[in-house]
Amino acid sequence: MSRRTLLAGLGAGLGMSLVGLAGPAARAFAATLKDARWCNPALGYFPSGGHYGAPRGSYPHAGQDITNPVGTAVYAAAAGTVVRRGTDVLTGRTGYGLVIAHGNGQYTYYGHLNVFRVALNATVAAGQRIADMGATGNVTGPHLHFETHSGGLGSTVDPVAFMAARGVDLGGGWSRIDPGANGETVKVIQYLMKQHGYALETDGYYGPVSSDAVKRFQASRGLVADGQVGPATWPKLVYTLRQGSSGSHVRALQVALNKRSAGLVVDGAFGSVTYTAVRNFQSVNRLLVDGEAGPVTWEALVG
Ligand SMILES: [Zn+2]
């Protein structure tokens, strides 16, 4: 399935929840909404019938399925602790699965995995690679079965709406980061803004200084100057980078790659190590593997 089809499908799925979040009311929840502390657990497309609540024998489907080949990277959707890891770790779920506890009664579950990349009881960061997509358990083909639990383990909610409320388009798409946010993706924004000529601290806090600068940047590019770094702003903010590039934009890229477990030195020099990291990221996310960080790679990195 093409990326265009994927995005069209996501748009349809997200329509209702996004309407509910639009406008100033959403700002009241800035501490938890669109705050850069959540990110996409995996890239892929939504298979027909793989939505939350779809009929599945005696129980409705408890998660959202995201399809891509075996070996596709699976990332922690937010920071937390691996509280379950193994086979059939939740009632009714089959195959290799992981549960991460995020605090405040919030949990995520990752099912049908192929390979675990974290230990039981491990502390994980948002965006850290935790597993590979697989086809273990009762499946018709490889995919990630992703669940979000809110209000305690077992209280599942629709993952598409849950993640959209946190600025993430499940399955792919640019993230939405609001003023007041914290996290590594904010550092990415700050480094990119520095490259655009705005003197900002790269402290990972999207406070008034950073968001005012982004508003000026948005106004200068003919965008709505709301301070939200989302699908309209990201494409204007990122640079296409390749081996030999150097500067704050490369630091932004290195921070974004490190969020996905690359382990790079953030030195602003796009050398062979960064090149290899870009290629690896593209490969495990089923993107075109060319070692160049263009808009599609950036979208996957910061989503
Ligand atoms: Zn499923």
Side-chain angles (χ1 to χ4, degrees):
M1 186 177 287
S2 74
R3 177 148 199 93
R4 185 168 299 275
T5 312
L6 161 65
L7 291 174
L10 280 171
L14 288 168
M16 278 187 65
S17 56
L18 288 177
V19 168
L21 288 164
R27 290 297 157 78
F29 303 97
T32 51
L33 294 186
K34 303 178 182 177
D35 68 354
R37 287 183 292 190
W38 290 78
C39 65
N40 236 304
L43 295 188
Y45 68 90
F46 292 178
S48 156
H51 56 282
Y52 181 77
R56 285 286 194 286
S58 36
Y59 301 102
H61 191 223
Q64 172 66 53
D65 293 340
I66 302 166
T67 297
N68 235 347
V70 169
T72 299
V74 175
Y75 303 100
T81 305
V82 178
V83 293
R84 296 195 190 182
R85 194 196 96 143
T87 307
D88 307 349
V89 297
L90 290 178
T91 304
R93 281 70 159 186
T94 62
Y96 292 161
L98 281 173
V99 176
I100 300 178
H102 304 291
N104 298 317
Q106 296 179 336
Y107 298 83
T108 48
Y109 170 76
Y110 310 77
H112 307 309
L113 303 170
N114 188 45
V115 175
F116 296 121
R117 292 179 180 267
V118 286
L120 183 63
N121 299 319
T123 301
V124 296
Q128 180 180 335
R129 190 169 180 186
I130 53 170
D132 290 7
M133 201 177 282
T136 58
N138 182 16
V139 296
T140 55
H143 69 276
L144 171 68
H145 169 92
F146 178 67
E147 296 181 13
T148 48
H149 298 231
S150 187
L153 187 58
S155 300
T156 63
V157 294
D158 183 351
V160 173
F162 180 93
M163 296 303 284
R166 286 151 183 81
V168 177
D169 278 354
L170 196 58
W174 294 103
S175 56
R176 292 173 174 80
I177 311 291
D178 274 339
N182 283 284
E184 292 304 291
T185 306
V186 174
K187 282 188 196 168
V188 173
I189 293 167
Q190 290 169 328
Y191 275 123
L192 288 168
M193 286 292 290
K194 282 182 79 160
Q195 189 67 30
H196 282 287
Y198 296 82
L200 292 180
E201 270 189 68
T202 49
D203 57 2
Y205 170 54
Y206 194 41
V209 177
S210 290
S211 58
D212 286 353
V214 166
K215 287 174 188 172
R216 293 200 302 278
F217 172 79
Q218 289 172 321
S220 77
R221 300 300 169 108
L223 301 166
V224 176
D226 59 0
Q228 185 186 81
V229 181
T233 301
W234 275 116
K236 310 268 190 205
L237 203 52
V238 300
Y239 293 81
T240 295
L241 301 171
R242 52 185 67 84
Q243 194 159 4
S245 300
S246 68
S248 288
H249 46 7
V250 175
R251 284 194 166 85
L253 175 65
Q254 291 166 329
V255 170
L257 286 162
N258 284 350
K259 185 174 178 178
R260 307 297 189 167
S261 303
L264 299 172
V265 176
V266 180
D267 61 1
F270 195 139
S272 60
V273 179
T274 300
Y275 174 76
T276 300
V278 171
R279 288 184 64 96
N280 286 344
F281 177 78
Q282 291 170 328
S283 174
V284 299
N285 286 284
R286 313 301 157 186
L287 306 173
L288 175 68
V289 180
D290 61 2
E292 184 176 287
V296 173
T297 297
W298 274 109
E299 183 180 16
L301 276 169
V302 303

